[in-house]
Amino acid sequence: MTCEIVFLPVGNADCIVVHAEDALVIVDLGKNSRFIYKWLEQRQFKKINRIYVTHNHKDHFPFKSIIDLVKFLKLWFSNNGEIEIFSLPYGFYHHANEQLNIQRGTNADYKDLEQALNNLDDWDRSRKVRIVQALSDPTPYTVDSLKIYTLHPREPFAVQQKSKSKINEISLVLRIVYGEFIAMLLADLEDAGLSDYLSVVKASAAATKEAKANIVKIPHHGAYPKNGDELKELLTLIDAELAVLSVGSTNQYGHVEPALFKALIELKDNKDKRLDRFICTEVTRTCVHAASDRATMTKGLFKVEKCAGEITIVAETSGKWNLKTETDHKIKVASFNAACDGRGDFG
């Protein structure tokens, strides 16, 4: 038996599928819920054990409101689909109820929002789908040989950051365990959230050991946080063999930022560390444009261009794993000044 972790090419967004034995888990839903719906439909998946939404940003949770979420769930259920657990971001459900009270009798969407909340309540009560809130928890979610630990955020930290509207800082950090194989998914972790999680990792020898992994999903699509030194320290402690970046060609943010590529190259060149390779779902302007060109650019590339495309990790309980990419990645990166083979112009 094997575990597959699939990073879908959804642009500057996240959508990750974990499939092991009889377990199917989804981490984030990308920018367009129809994409993951069609992907699952094509593969004839009907039962989802759990959906994790790492945080409430539209590139991870593509619903304007709970009304749209309920429409998605109704579509899935209408085609005989099942979902056991839906993990909503911290405070999301509470915020929806607050909005309901604010809009009561004054907004045309009030009745639709009330009905959507009632739908979720009915489904949760009948166990059609359990609606939960994910926070740091020492007890893993377990299906057969698959275990998923939520390592961040801690509730005291989440409460504090939510009051400051710091959404990325309370992104879920998930540890996927399949026997001896481990993957760390860092969502959009940055700034104060990164500092807090790093402090937890360094607090004890057990926590430091727990952070080590075979695979790491680089946070925030290759952004480089203000506390970049702490990101480098965390990646050093994770000591992964492969780093994956889910990034969009046309993004206007400058992702992947040159400083992030530099950090990965430095880690890859460190003979005392395990990083052998890092790959992106799509080509970015940092790969194909010189630093002098990027200095005047306000947008990303004009069209989507896959680099690795869909990225699949096939892992065994022994800890051995193989990488599959949608494209011939080595040929692809040879066609331009790719960062991942050390030929990028970072300025």
Side-chain angles (χ1 to χ4, degrees):
M1 303 296 286
T2 59
C3 173
E4 289 190 350
I5 303 180
V6 185
F7 298 87
L8 299 180
V10 289
N12 224 55
D14 275 5
C15 188
I16 303 164
V17 177
V18 182
H19 182 221
E21 300 170 24
D22 291 330
L24 180 67
V25 175
I26 299 172
V27 181
D28 289 324
L29 297 166
K31 293 180 179 179
N32 183 350
S33 59
R34 290 292 302 180
F35 184 93
I36 183 61
Y37 182 88
K38 289 181 179 179
W39 191 92
L40 294 169
E41 189 176 49
Q42 288 169 358
R43 287 153 184 80
Q44 299 183 328
F45 286 118
K46 287 294 184 182
K47 181 178 179 179
I48 302 171
N49 294 84
R50 187 161 184 160
I51 297 175
Y52 288 91
V53 177
T54 60
H55 61 295
N56 186 24
H57 275 161
K58 63 183 180 181
D59 54 337
H60 297 255
F61 190 54
F63 304 113
K64 293 179 181 179
S65 71
I66 275 188
I67 296 170
D68 292 326
L69 167 61
V70 167
K71 288 179 181 178
F72 169 77
L73 292 175
K74 283 183 175 179
L75 177 62
W76 180 255
F77 294 145
S78 69
N79 286 284
N80 299 316
E82 299 177 49
I83 302 173
E84 288 187 355
I85 302 174
F86 202 119
S87 294
L88 290 171
Y90 176 79
F92 186 85
Y93 205 77
H94 177 71
H95 175 72
N97 277 285
E98 284 184 335
Q99 290 299 111
L100 183 67
N101 289 329
I102 291 170
Q103 295 177 8
R104 191 177 300 277
T106 63
N107 188 293
D109 290 335
Y110 165 75
K111 289 186 177 179
D112 289 339
L113 179 58
E114 182 180 45
Q115 183 58 53
L117 286 167
N118 287 339
N119 285 142
L120 290 180
D121 186 42
D122 290 343
W123 290 335
D124 184 68
R125 185 185 301 109
S126 66
R127 301 296 177 95
K128 191 175 185 70
V129 57
R130 297 302 310 275
I131 309 295
V132 302
Q133 177 175 271
L135 288 165
S136 177
D137 188 347
T139 303
Y141 173 69
T142 303
V143 184
D144 298 326
S145 300
L146 179 69
K147 295 182 179 180
I148 302 178
Y149 294 82
T150 302
L151 304 181
H152 177 84
R154 300 175 301 107
E155 187 166 17
F157 177 81
V159 170
Q160 182 186 48
Q161 296 305 117
K162 186 68 171 63
S163 67
K164 299 176 182 177
S165 299
K166 299 290 187 178
I167 303 300
N168 282 346
E169 282 82 343
I170 59 173
S171 294
L172 296 185
V173 171
L174 298 176
R175 180 175 184 251
I176 313 296
V177 179
Y178 186 70
E180 298 300 313
F181 173 83
I182 299 170
M184 290 285 287
L185 308 181
L186 301 181
D188 279 6
L189 188 69
E190 63 182 4
D191 300 340
L194 172 59
S195 298
D196 188 73
Y197 177 58
L198 179 60
S199 71
V200 171
V201 170
K202 294 166 64 177
S204 69
T208 302
K209 182 179 180 181
E210 183 183 64
K212 291 193 178 296
N214 303 91
I215 309 295
V216 62
K217 202 287 292 190
I218 297 297
H220 203 182
H221 323 297
Y224 199 69
K226 293 178 289 187
N227 51 341
D229 286 346
E230 290 188 310
L231 176 58
K232 288 194 287 186
E233 185 176 5
L234 178 60
L235 293 177
T236 300
L237 291 171
I238 291 172
D239 196 21
E241 300 160 89
L242 173 72
V244 176
L245 294 90
S246 183
V247 61
S249 301
T250 60
N251 84 85
Q252 72 270 33
Y253 308 107
H255 301 162
V256 174
E257 292 189 33
L260 190 280
F261 273 147
K262 284 181 181 179
L264 289 173
I265 290 171
E266 181 181 317
L267 194 58
K268 183 172 176 284
D269 290 343
N270 186 335
K271 294 181 180 179
D272 294 327
K273 294 300 169 183
R274 299 190 299 169
L275 187 66
D276 178 63
R277 190 174 180 185
F278 56 93
I279 54 176
C280 301
T281 51
E282 296 182 9
V283 178
T284 72
R285 73 185 199 184
T286 312
C287 296
V288 298
H289 284 279
S292 57
D293 294 332
R294 295 198 308 271
T296 61
M297 294 177 70
T298 57
K299 296 181 179 180
L301 301 180
F302 289 109
K303 64 178 182 178
V304 172
E305 184 177 353
K306 291 182 179 179
C307 195
E310 186 172 301
I311 297 167
T312 304
I313 311 299
V314 183
E316 301 175 12
T317 55
S318 65
K320 293 181 180 179
W321 59 272
N322 292 307
L323 169 67
K324 296 180 180 179
T325 56
E326 182 180 352
T327 68
D328 189 325
H329 187 244
K330 290 184 178 180
I331 292 177
K332 183 67 180 179
V333 299
S335 67
F336 55 84
N337 291 328
C340 51
D341 64 1
R343 293 184 291 115
D345 178 7
F346 304 131

